[in-house]
Amino acid sequence: MKYLLVFILILGITIPAVSQETKYLFNGRDFGGWYAFEQKSGIHQDPSDLFLIEDQMIRLQGKKLGYLITHSSYENFELRLDFRWNTDSTFIRRSEKKNSGVMYLIPTEAEDKLWPKGIQFQIKEGNTGDIILLDRFTLEANNSKAAGKNIVVPRQQDASRPIGEWNSLLISSQNGQIIQKLNGRVVNIGKNPCESQGKILLQYEGYPIDFKNIKITIFD
């Protein structure tokens, strides 16, 4: 290896470095950078109309289905966050089914609705790690199956932690390659998405769920 480095130095060859920037999408104090949507009342520029922030966590709960979504779009990134089911019986819920998700590569021109065009990292009791392609979003992946106008790519393995514990989620979208990880293990992959950049969204599908440590690394 050292001889190769000497040879490179002699020829004056430079190796381009991959530059990157990591930032938090949630500062633990407010909803800056996000807006919310609920089907009946529409867009809420102040997400606190619908959801809570407590102890540096985003807490999605209530009687109305909806989501948080970033104002900004992202390309060539790794998104990391932690999530857990909120089993506190005092929190308002619409459903007893533990179902949620993190969406990404949502086009800026996509209509705000339940649910917009994009890829969903399925967070669901018994199915966390599935890829759901919503509203005719396309992605090359093995073992995909149709589900109405949506496509399901089943997870490769179960990496979920027990209910009530925090889980670590990672989504990588770089140069046409999609990787989903749960607690450090690859649970799904795909390639050649129909969109290379887009917004990020946290879903509330009726069962309370908490999110924290939401950060993104952008690669040039």
Side-chain angles (χ1 to χ4, degrees):
M1 179 66 182
K2 66 179 181 180
Y3 297 110
L4 175 60
L5 292 175
V6 170
F7 182 70
I8 289 173
L9 290 173
I10 291 173
L11 293 181
I13 299 173
T14 60
I15 301 175
V18 177
S19 61
Q20 60 187 57
E21 174 192 8
T22 299
K23 60 182 180 180
Y24 279 89
L25 297 183
F26 170 57
N27 61 19
R29 302 183 304 275
D30 56 54
F31 287 110
W34 301 79
Y35 68 93
F37 177 84
E38 183 271 318
Q39 191 167 24
K40 186 175 181 179
S41 56
I43 291 173
H44 291 249
Q45 294 298 339
D46 183 359
S48 63
D49 294 343
L50 301 176
F51 304 124
L52 304 174
I53 294 174
E54 290 184 346
D55 300 325
Q56 298 187 321
M57 295 180 291
I58 292 174
R59 316 201 81 172
L60 305 186
Q61 54 88 49
K63 295 181 179 180
K64 300 176 180 179
L65 304 184
Y67 54 75
L68 282 174
I69 184 170
T70 59
H71 288 286
S72 299
S73 292
Y74 302 94
E75 182 177 18
N76 286 331
F77 63 84
E78 279 189 354
L79 173 69
R80 298 174 183 267
L81 58 81
D82 299 327
F83 72 89
R84 71 174 180 187
W85 298 113
N86 178 0
T87 57
D88 187 338
S89 62
T90 65
F91 272 69
I92 299 171
R93 65 193 65 192
R94 174 172 169 166
S95 171
E96 291 300 322
K97 295 181 180 179
K98 297 178 179 66
N99 192 10
S100 182
V102 176
M103 291 188 64
Y104 55 103
L105 296 184
I106 300 168
T108 55
E109 69 275 10
E111 176 188 0
D112 275 298
K113 62 179 182 178
L114 297 180
W115 302 99
K117 182 177 183 177
I119 303 178
Q120 178 190 3
F121 187 129
Q122 173 84 291
I123 300 173
K124 186 176 182 179
E125 191 172 16
N127 295 92
T128 298
D130 288 1
I131 286 175
I132 313 293
L133 305 177
L134 293 165
D135 202 12
R136 296 181 174 82
F137 194 100
T138 60
L139 176 76
E140 294 178 24
N142 293 328
N143 302 319
S144 61
K145 59 182 180 181
K149 66 177 181 179
N150 304 323
I151 301 294
V152 179
V153 184
R155 65 184 183 181
Q156 298 178 357
Q157 59 178 316
D158 180 12
S160 301
R161 291 178 180 154
I163 301 299
E165 292 188 13
W166 286 100
N167 291 268
S168 176
L169 177 154
L170 180 145
I171 295 167
S172 175
S173 173
Q174 296 185 61
N175 302 315
Q177 300 294 318
I178 300 294
I179 300 174
Q180 294 188 169
K181 291 185 178 182
L182 182 63
N183 298 318
R185 297 160 65 183
V186 175
V187 292
N188 229 321
I189 57 174
K191 63 181 180 179
N192 298 327
C194 61
E195 301 284 343
S196 62
Q197 68 179 54
K199 299 178 182 181
I200 292 164
L201 179 155
L202 307 179
Q203 292 179 309
Y204 172 64
E205 296 196 45
Y207 195 95
I209 188 169
D210 301 330
F211 294 94
K212 67 176 184 177
N213 298 329
I214 306 168
K215 61 183 177 181
I216 193 166
T217 301
I218 307 296
F219 300 92
D220 289 339

